[in-house]
Amino acid sequence: MVGGEAAAAVEELVSGVRQAADFAEQFRSYSESEKQWKARMEFILRHLPDYRDPPDGGGRLDQLLSLSMVWANHLFLGCSYNKDLLDKVMEMADGIEVEDLPQFTTRSELMKKNQS
């Protein structure tokens, strides 16, 4: 029965997504808003298959979590980082939609404004 096989495949897929989301939930910071966490969790889940730790360790998951924090800190708090690092996380986050982001003025922009 094709319908039964399709339903089973969909259920398996949904179950896998739930497991991944449950796994990611342990990395939520107590200070993250729901909006921030949803965006960062999407970032994590998108790249989780590429950053799973090998059996002998290696810290790949830690690297992914760090990259997700760099991205979130830049987006939501206005933190600045090395250009290469920012380029990397922005590329990794390409396509992740976040609404109503805060607008920040950089120190350089303020200095230019004051010199005018």
Side-chain angles (χ1 to χ4, degrees), residues 28-84:
R28 181 177 183 173
S29 170
Y30 70 92
S31 63
E32 283 180 297
S33 70
E34 192 66 26
K35 178 181 178 178
Q36 291 167 339
W37 171 240
K38 284 186 183 283
R40 196 166 74 86
M41 183 170 66
E42 184 176 345
F43 184 101
I44 292 167
L45 292 177
R46 175 185 285 190
H47 298 287
L48 190 58
D50 298 329
Y51 281 86
R52 286 222 182 253
D53 283 339
D56 62 347
R60 301 267 302 146
L61 181 58
D62 285 344
Q63 183 181 22
L64 174 61
L65 296 174
S66 297
L67 291 169
S68 74
M69 288 303 295
V70 165
W71 177 69
N73 287 346
H74 174 69
L75 225 59
F76 295 107
L77 302 176
C79 297
S80 60
Y81 297 90
N82 170 287
K83 181 185 178 332
D84 292 337

Side-chain angles (χ1 to χ4, degrees), residues 89-102:
V89 297
M90 296 310 284
E91 181 181 325
M92 291 174 74
D94 188 40
I96 296 176
E97 298 291 328
V98 182
E99 295 179 5
D100 301 323
L101 286 173

